[in-house]
Amino acid sequence: MKTISIPLLAVLFTWPIFSELSAAWLKHIIADSFSGAISVKLVDIDKDGDMDILGAAWNSGISWWENGNGSFSMHTIDDGFSGAIFVESEDIDGDGDIDIVASSNGSDTIEWWENLGDEVFLEHLVTNSFDGVHSVYPGDLDGDNDVDLIAVSFDEDLVCWFENNGSASFSERVISDGIDGPWTAYPGDIDGDGDLDVAVAYRLADEIRWFENDGICGFSGHLVDGSFDGAHIVVIEDLGSDGDGDIIATARVGDTIAWYENDGLQNFTRYIIADNYDWPTFVNPADLDGDGDIDIACAAYNDDDVSWLENNGSMSFTMNHIDTEYDGAIPVVTGDINGDGREDIVSCAYNLNSVTWWENTDSTSAAGGETAGSLSSFVIAPNPSNGSFSIEYSINENCVVTADIYDVSGRLARSFIENANRGVHSITVSKLSVGVYMVRLAEGDLVSCRRVSVIR
């Protein structure tokens, strides 16, 4: 494996290096020499309460940028991991800290880096013969409370999961084979039965499929769309807020973004929400304008574009461009970088060797201001919990209250919206997996956050 040296292991970048105002989004460049920047993830790696940035680059390997009160410090995890294409994070070994997992399309490998404490990482090989690997996502597929891995082999037409034996040793299991060119396999509960299913985008077959988990990791395939030209990225999200898992996908050749509405019986209706969007890459659902519904952050490689699709509350979407000169934009992720209660956007540009975040300055989604009650003192009990707990809050007048629950990787795990009358209220949460979560309660301009730990 070729080793590429980076002169400094920890480089301090002021916040920002360059800034420019684009509508309600303020641009901050975190790095401009991350060669072949291709994947990013928001996660609190050092567990200090703010979101750090984890990145992968084709030529520069794996690094992370520590968020520290208005400045970012770069830390190299592995600069010899050449051909990197995808990076994720999770507590792989169950010791309570954040580990890293990544795939190398250049060397057909999947590896994970054990966090030894103080963010010192030790490399472990999962496989070095997974030809044309692209996406790799963590998830507990078999429900045994450890973290498995879901990955695709583009060259071998394989969708697989790698079973964690509980000691972070992995065994390859096949979910599907023989369908041409899988590019992304994403875990999520589509049928609402409490286990993780898998949605897959097949770039060469032009298909979107989902694989139903019977609870013991027997998978049944279902076709969602057989004519999605160059299917590229797929995610699972309850976009309609009706309690079931919908699917959002991008079509690399068709230049479209679509969402597939689940009717609750896993019959899907396709809605095109962006077209003529030249080579859309990633999508990330999040409430970007703070109005209680799910919008979609998106990027397009050939259009050099980072944008967001605004949901009007009735599942009609309007494209809002944030940056149209971000050369070779690939990933897009969302999270509250600066702790102001707004969802910011992070991306990287392959052709610019850049990692950038756009600060959400839109006053319609601002935290602070007048309050209709005492959300700032809401209570979570019990905490720690066994996966079920209540969120208790009080309000002085009728209003809409939103409760979003995020896991340690920044992924939305559960969302509740209540039309609440004045008085004391309780939201019941059940069956969360083991881990640390952030509960974000919002009413109007007021945003308040608490942590909850789920243990067994």
Side-chain angles (χ1 to χ4, degrees):
M1 188 177 294
K2 183 179 179 182
T3 300
I4 299 176
S5 298
I6 295 178
L8 296 178
L9 293 180
V11 181
L12 183 65
F13 296 94
T14 59
W15 185 0
I17 296 175
F18 304 102
S19 298
E20 64 183 45
L21 186 64
S22 178
W25 300 87
L26 187 63
K27 182 177 181 179
H28 305 267
I29 299 176
I30 301 301
D32 58 5
S33 58
F34 197 48
S35 181
I38 201 165
S39 181
V40 289
K41 172 78 176 181
L42 283 180
V43 59
D44 186 5
I45 291 180
D46 51 9
K47 301 183 74 173
D48 63 352
D50 54 32
M51 284 293 171
D52 308 302
I53 299 174
L54 173 67
W58 188 271
N59 301 312
S60 295
I62 312 297
S63 293
W64 71 286
W65 287 264
E66 181 181 357
N67 184 351
N69 297 321
S71 65
F72 282 91
S73 302
M74 180 181 176
H75 304 274
T76 299
I77 295 173
D78 191 338
D79 60 6
F81 193 65
S82 61
I85 195 167
F86 208 89
V87 68
E88 272 286 330
S89 60
E90 190 56 88
D91 183 7
I92 301 291
D93 52 6
D95 63 354
D97 53 31
I98 299 298
D99 307 304
I100 311 300
V101 60
S103 57
S104 168
N105 188 262
S107 61
D108 302 325
T109 63
I110 299 172
E111 297 183 13
W112 74 281
W113 289 262
E114 179 184 359
N115 190 338
L116 300 178
D118 296 324
E119 292 68 59
V120 175
F121 293 92
L122 178 65
E123 177 184 15
H124 299 274
L125 179 68
V126 177
T127 178
N128 60 3
S129 59
F130 206 55
D131 292 349
V133 62
H134 184 250
S135 73
V136 56
Y137 283 103
D140 184 9
L141 276 191
D142 52 6
D144 62 355
N145 293 321
D146 55 35
V147 178
D148 310 303
L149 303 174
I150 302 95
V152 296
S153 168
F154 180 80
D155 294 349
E156 295 183 356
D157 300 332
L158 282 173
V159 179
C160 293
W161 68 289
F162 292 83
E163 182 181 2
N164 186 342
N165 69 352
S167 300
S169 178
F170 294 90
S171 300
E172 181 179 328
R173 315 290 188 206
V174 175
I175 295 174
S176 171
D177 60 4
I179 303 174
D180 205 6
W183 197 247
T184 307
Y186 189 94
D189 188 3
I190 289 178
D191 52 8
D193 62 356
D195 53 38
L196 291 181
D197 310 300
V198 179
V200 182
Y202 291 92
R203 201 175 86 188
L204 299 183
D206 302 327
E207 291 182 355
I208 303 293
R209 290 178 177 262
W210 76 282
F211 293 86
E212 180 180 358
N213 188 345
D214 63 4
I216 54 174
C217 290
F219 291 92
S220 302
H222 305 275
L223 182 66
V224 176
D225 191 339
S227 59
F228 199 55
D229 197 3
H232 188 66
I233 296 296
V234 62
V235 300
I236 299 168
E237 175 72 28
D238 183 10
L239 199 56
S241 299
D242 55 2
D244 51 40
D246 306 305
I247 293 173
I248 310 168
T250 65
R252 172 176 176 167
V253 179
D255 297 333
T256 56
I257 301 174
W259 81 282
Y260 298 84
E261 183 180 9
N262 185 348
D263 68 355
L265 299 174
Q266 294 74 61
N267 300 306
F268 291 90
T269 301
R270 183 174 80 173
Y271 299 93
I272 301 296
I273 53 179
D275 56 11
N276 298 316
Y277 196 52
D278 197 356
W279 188 349
T281 50
F282 279 74
V283 287
N284 196 113
D287 183 6
L288 293 168
D289 54 6
D291 63 355
D293 53 39
I294 303 298
D295 312 298
I296 301 171
C298 52
Y301 183 85
N302 285 345
D303 270 344
D304 304 328
D305 186 88
V306 175
S307 294
W308 68 288
L309 291 158
E310 182 179 0
N311 185 348
N312 71 350
S314 300
M315 307 308 294
S316 178
F317 292 85
T318 302
M319 178 73 80
N320 297 276
H321 297 285
I322 296 172
D323 192 329
T324 58
E325 297 181 351
Y326 200 55
D327 190 7
I330 295 182
V332 61
V333 294
T334 64
D336 186 3
I337 294 287
N338 55 352
D340 65 355
R342 306 182 183 99
E343 292 287 305
D344 307 304
I345 290 177
V346 179
S347 182
C348 61
Y350 187 87
N351 298 328
L352 295 176
N353 305 318
S354 172
V355 178
T356 301
W357 75 281
W358 287 266
E359 180 183 356
N360 186 348
T361 65
D362 188 350
S363 61
T364 63
S365 61
E370 296 298 318
T371 172
S374 54
L375 293 185
S376 60
S377 59
F378 76 87
V379 176
I380 299 173
N383 187 11
S385 83
N386 65 356
S388 299
F389 55 87
S390 64
I391 304 167
E392 186 172 287
Y393 64 93
S394 64
I395 51 175
N396 297 329
E397 59 190 47
N398 299 351
C399 62
V400 176
V401 175
T402 301
D404 292 324
I405 302 174
Y406 296 87
D407 64 20
V408 291
S409 66
R411 184 177 299 159
L412 184 66
R414 208 69 62 82
S415 185
F416 304 85
I417 301 175
E418 295 204 338
N419 292 302
N421 297 322
R422 61 182 299 173
V424 178
H425 296 267
S426 182
I427 297 172
T428 300
V429 182
S430 63
K431 297 182 179 179
L432 283 180
S433 301
V434 171
V436 178
Y437 296 83
M438 181 68 73
V439 178
R440 179 180 184 270
L441 212 62
E443 181 282 307
D445 289 338
L446 178 69
V447 175
S448 189
C449 298
R450 296 283 187 279
R451 289 194 181 201
V452 60
S453 298
V454 175
I455 61 177
R456 293 287 188 269

